[in-house]
Amino acid sequence: MGDKKLRDKVENGCMFVARRAATLGNILSPSLLKEPSVNNSWLTHEGLEASQEDCTLKAESNTVYAQYDHTAVLNCTSCTRGTWESRLPKISTSEGQNWFSAEVLVNDWEINNISCLEVDNYVNFKQIQVIAYAEPDLVTIDLQKEMEVGTTYNITCNVNNVAPVQDLMVKWTREGEEINTKSFKQETKRGITNVSVTHEIVAQRSDNLQNFSCSALLNVDKTRITSSSATIRTYDLSAEPQILIKKWIQKGDTVPATCKITDTFPAENVKIQILFNNADVLVRTEQEANGTVLGHANLDMNHSGIYDVTCLASLQGLSKKTNETVNVYEPFEVYLNVSKPTTLYNDSVLVECALIKGNAELYNIEIRVNGQKKCKVGDRPFVGCNVTADRRVPMETIECEAHLKGDPDIKTVAKKNVTVHYPPDKPSIQINPSTNIKKGDTVNLTCHADAYPKASYTWDFPTADIIYSADQSTIVISKATSSNDGTYICYASNPFGISQEQIIIEVTDGTLYWTLVVVGTNLGIILITSLAVYYILQQYKKGTYNLLKFKQKKKSNEDIPMDPFPKETNQEC
């Protein structure tokens, strides 16, 4: 390695150790180096010549590992002769100047303490631990190849024929990335052994098609043995399937049934089976983007009764099942009878409703008038009650309804209309213009009364020229005069009664009206002006004052005569 490198090693205090054969260490051992003729030779350390070597007893290594049933070479250095004490068989020993070594057979699994001693001083010794090891001959990984997402699984790493276990480290990897390690430093067992150790994982969707492996590293010689990798598949079928089907179905119908399961993974591997009354039916599968899988089937309801519909979703070894009960019912009909098709207001009509087809135990029957329930709900095949026509409407709609107790939306309805007759109520009269009818105005009077059949109208009014509408509900005064003043009476009648209403009309003269307005306005102005003058005079009253008695208190207003110009007083101050 060149003189410079050797000099650097010597100057840094490097100790050369002899082994069984001659080595550079004992060839160049400081004790063999001749003393240089020049004090500053490169073999002379600063302050210490090379011949002044360190003679302390030293072991080359405090711990030596060797494969079981193989030999190990142990080295010690000393300036005096040395020897060995060992429980292990010594194959050979050798020595040189300032060194001695021994080769021993490592055939014991226990830790052996071997001592190197100075012959002349047995008290001075160094111990070397000799430990036998065995590299594992096989590393395997055990794990379930198919895993359900969210479930905990064990990944087991098996290491065969390894020693010492205290120097073993097991590592688990996922796609080459370390996920866990395990060491055994606290173990007390010595000798060759088999190790099985597990690591728990919770399966995730991201683990799908990932490679898992484990490896064993023996720290003695840094030997690493890795198992073969194992690829796992993960599946998620955590949601419960749903069956989408009507619960009540009429016999003879063909109805769609859908089996739906959400959030599956991988969705393309999901299989769906639908059974009707424990028999397989043809299923068409549909996959949605969000992991939802749908299975569609059409079911023929040929017989009445109660049946089970089963949805079975499976994914590899996973499966989920859901049952739904459906009721197949016979078609049903009702009969409706009304005692009379026409009635008077506030009279009663007998209504009868009967179930004439179907199982009465499955249905409720009720009678409705204009959508409002009028009779009690019954579970008998016949319901009857009296219905009162209590509304002033020309027509009442009466219904007989039967519906399934299990699903009120499934029903059948029979309808009949009953005509209701009622007399006119009190008429109302509308007049236009409604106020301030002036001479020459056109006046309209319209009369209306609620009745069925519709009311006929007649009028009673002062003698005047009147125009009638076609149904005589409206009369028109084309040019109002004072002769149109008076009471106007409207009569409304039909075969079931008569009623009346009246209104009073007063026609005013337009010219007189405006004359009165002008006169009234002028009078108002005069009155307001007079009041203003009076108020001013009250504030500034005139009276008699004694000017010589200037300290005399001014007379109060009460002493001043109210007449602004008294006779005894001069008009000038």
Side-chain angles (χ1 to χ4, degrees):
M1 62 182 175
D3 287 348
K4 183 177 184 307
K5 291 185 178 180
L6 179 62
R7 181 180 60 196
D8 292 338
K9 292 292 184 182
V10 173
E11 287 179 349
N12 289 332
C14 179
M15 180 179 66
F16 297 94
V17 180
R19 293 183 181 270
R20 287 181 296 168
T23 64
L24 180 64
N26 52 26
I27 292 175
L28 297 179
S29 177
S31 61
L32 299 179
L33 295 175
K34 295 181 180 180
E35 184 175 349
S37 57
V38 183
N39 289 338
N40 59 356
S41 169
W42 63 272
L43 289 176
T44 303
H45 189 273
E46 181 180 356
L48 179 65
E49 294 185 356
S51 60
Q52 298 175 336
E53 67 274 9
D54 185 3
C55 291
T56 305
L57 177 65
K58 294 180 180 180
E60 181 185 22
S61 177
N62 294 327
T63 303
V64 174
Y65 288 92
Q67 282 189 305
Y68 183 81
D69 228 12
H70 286 63
T71 61
V73 176
L74 313 178
N75 293 300
C76 283
T77 59
S78 176
C79 293
T80 63
R81 291 186 61 220
T83 187
W84 298 89
E85 285 187 356
S86 171
R87 292 176 57 246
L88 298 176
K90 286 186 282 187
I91 303 302
S92 65
T93 60
S94 59
E95 60 181 327
Q97 187 172 3
N98 296 338
W99 63 270
F100 55 100
S101 66
E103 183 179 10
V104 296
L105 177 64
V106 183
N107 60 359
D108 187 355
W109 288 113
E110 296 295 327
I111 298 176
N112 288 275
N113 292 317
I114 297 178
S115 301
C116 62
L117 313 92
E118 293 180 342
V119 173
D120 297 333
N121 184 10
Y122 279 9
V123 178
N124 189 15
F125 65 92
K126 294 293 181 182
Q127 282 192 335
I128 302 174
Q129 283 190 339
V130 178
I131 302 173
Y133 73 89
E135 295 178 351
D137 54 19
L138 182 65
V139 177
T140 59
I141 185 170
D142 292 334
L143 74 166
Q144 190 166 325
K145 300 296 181 63
E146 296 176 353
M147 299 182 180
E148 182 178 3
V149 172
T151 303
T152 301
Y153 295 91
N154 288 331
I155 301 178
T156 302
C157 189
N158 304 301
V159 183
N160 295 343
N161 300 323
V162 65
V165 70
Q166 293 80 4
D167 290 288
L168 176 67
M169 177 175 287
V170 175
K171 181 168 71 173
W172 291 263
T173 59
R174 175 183 180 271
E175 288 294 323
E177 182 179 351
E178 181 181 302
I179 57 175
N180 193 29
T181 59
K182 172 71 175 177
S183 60
F184 307 88
K185 295 185 181 299
Q186 304 303 320
E187 291 289 335
T188 57
K189 182 180 179 180
R190 310 300 301 186
I192 197 165
T193 185
N194 295 327
V195 174
S196 290
V197 61
T198 61
H199 168 62
E200 282 190 352
I201 67 167
V202 178
Q204 305 295 329
R205 293 187 179 188
S206 57
D207 294 327
N208 188 48
L209 299 178
Q210 297 294 295
N211 293 318
F212 287 78
S213 63
C214 67
S215 60
L217 174 65
L218 195 61
N219 290 326
V220 172
D221 57 356
K222 304 301 180 183
T223 299
R224 183 186 297 276
I225 299 178
T226 302
S227 71
S228 58
S229 61
T231 302
I232 69 170
R233 290 180 177 270
T234 57
Y235 304 96
D236 193 353
L237 200 68
S238 55
E240 296 294 331
Q242 297 174 283
I243 299 178
L244 308 178
I245 188 173
K246 294 194 299 184
K247 305 301 186 295
W248 291 84
I249 306 166
Q250 184 170 294
K251 176 184 172 182
D253 287 353
T254 297
V255 296
T258 298
C259 178
K260 178 180 180 180
I261 185 165
T262 60
D263 200 27
T264 64
F265 177 82
E268 59 270 16
N269 293 343
V270 176
K271 295 180 180 179
I272 290 183
Q273 184 181 9
I274 296 178
L275 297 89
F276 178 58
N277 202 26
N278 296 322
D280 271 323
V281 296
L282 182 64
V283 176
R284 177 177 59 85
T285 302
E286 175 187 359
Q287 180 182 331
E288 296 183 348
N290 58 0
T292 297
V293 181
L294 304 173
H296 304 287
N298 292 320
L299 306 181
D300 296 325
M301 303 300 171
N302 298 322
H303 304 283
S304 61
I306 300 175
Y307 299 96
D308 284 332
V309 178
T310 303
C311 171
L312 180 64
S314 59
L315 181 61
Q316 299 302 112
L318 310 176
S319 64
K320 297 280 186 176
K321 184 171 72 171
T322 299
N323 290 318
E324 194 69 68
T325 300
V326 297
N327 298 270
V328 181
Y329 61 89
E330 296 279 352
F332 60 101
E333 295 179 11
V334 291
Y335 167 76
L336 172 63
N337 181 55
V338 178
S339 61
K340 51 185 177 180
T342 303
T343 187
L344 293 176
Y345 174 64
N346 280 333
D347 276 1
S348 295
V349 177
L350 176 61
V351 180
E352 297 172 331
C353 180
L355 183 71
I356 59 174
K357 187 177 179 181
N359 184 355
E361 294 180 354
L362 299 178
Y363 306 98
N364 282 329
I365 302 173
E366 59 191 36
I367 295 173
R368 296 175 178 271
V369 178
N370 296 314
Q372 301 297 318
K373 190 187 302 181
K374 289 295 182 180
C375 298
K376 270 197 216 176
V377 174
D379 56 4
R380 297 161 296 147
F382 174 82
V383 173
C385 68
N386 288 313
V387 173
T388 301
D390 55 2
R391 299 193 313 154
R392 295 178 64 90
V393 292
M395 191 77 67
E396 295 278 17
T397 300
I398 298 178
E399 299 175 326
C400 169
E401 176 184 301
H403 59 255
L404 284 167
K405 295 178 181 178
D407 188 349
D409 290 333
I410 299 177
K411 59 189 174 183
T412 184
V413 179
K415 295 182 180 181
K416 285 192 176 182
N417 293 325
V418 175
T419 301
V420 180
H421 292 157
Y422 48 92
D425 60 358
K426 187 175 182 179
S428 63
I429 300 177
Q430 292 183 342
I431 181 170
N432 184 27
S434 58
T435 59
N436 192 24
I437 300 173
K438 299 180 294 299
K439 184 179 179 180
D441 284 350
T442 298
V443 182
N444 293 288
L445 289 86
T446 301
C447 183
H448 174 75
D450 182 32
Y452 193 79
K454 288 185 177 180
S456 298
Y457 299 97
T458 58
W459 292 84
D460 189 4
F461 46 81
T463 301
D465 293 332
I466 296 296
I467 301 173
Y468 286 93
S469 64
D471 61 356
Q472 295 190 359
S473 63
T474 300
I475 60 175
V476 179
I477 304 172
S478 58
K479 290 184 179 181
T481 65
S482 58
S483 63
N484 295 121
D485 290 351
T487 301
Y488 289 71
I489 303 174
C490 171
Y491 300 94
S493 62
N494 70 3
F496 304 98
I498 186 170
S499 60
Q500 68 180 50
E501 179 62 301
Q502 66 182 25
I503 189 170
I504 299 174
I505 290 180
E506 183 177 354
V507 180
T508 60
D509 188 337
T511 303
L512 178 61
Y513 171 79
W514 288 111
T515 301
L516 292 174
V517 169
V518 172
V519 171
T521 302
N522 291 332
L523 289 175
I525 293 172
I526 293 171
L527 179 60
I528 293 172
T529 303
S530 300
L531 290 174
V533 171
Y534 175 77
Y535 175 78
I536 293 172
L537 293 176
Q538 283 291 94
Q539 294 294 319
Y540 302 97
K541 287 184 178 181
K542 293 183 179 181
T544 300
Y545 301 90
N546 189 343
L547 299 179
L548 296 176
K549 295 180 179 179
F550 59 91
K551 292 184 178 181
Q552 184 178 351
K553 184 180 178 182
K554 185 180 179 181
K555 292 183 181 181
S556 64
N557 288 339
E558 290 77 4
D559 297 330
I560 300 174
M562 295 301 297
D563 187 354
F565 303 103
K567 295 179 180 180
E568 66 276 14
T569 310
N570 195 327
Q571 297 298 321
E572 295 179 1
C573 283

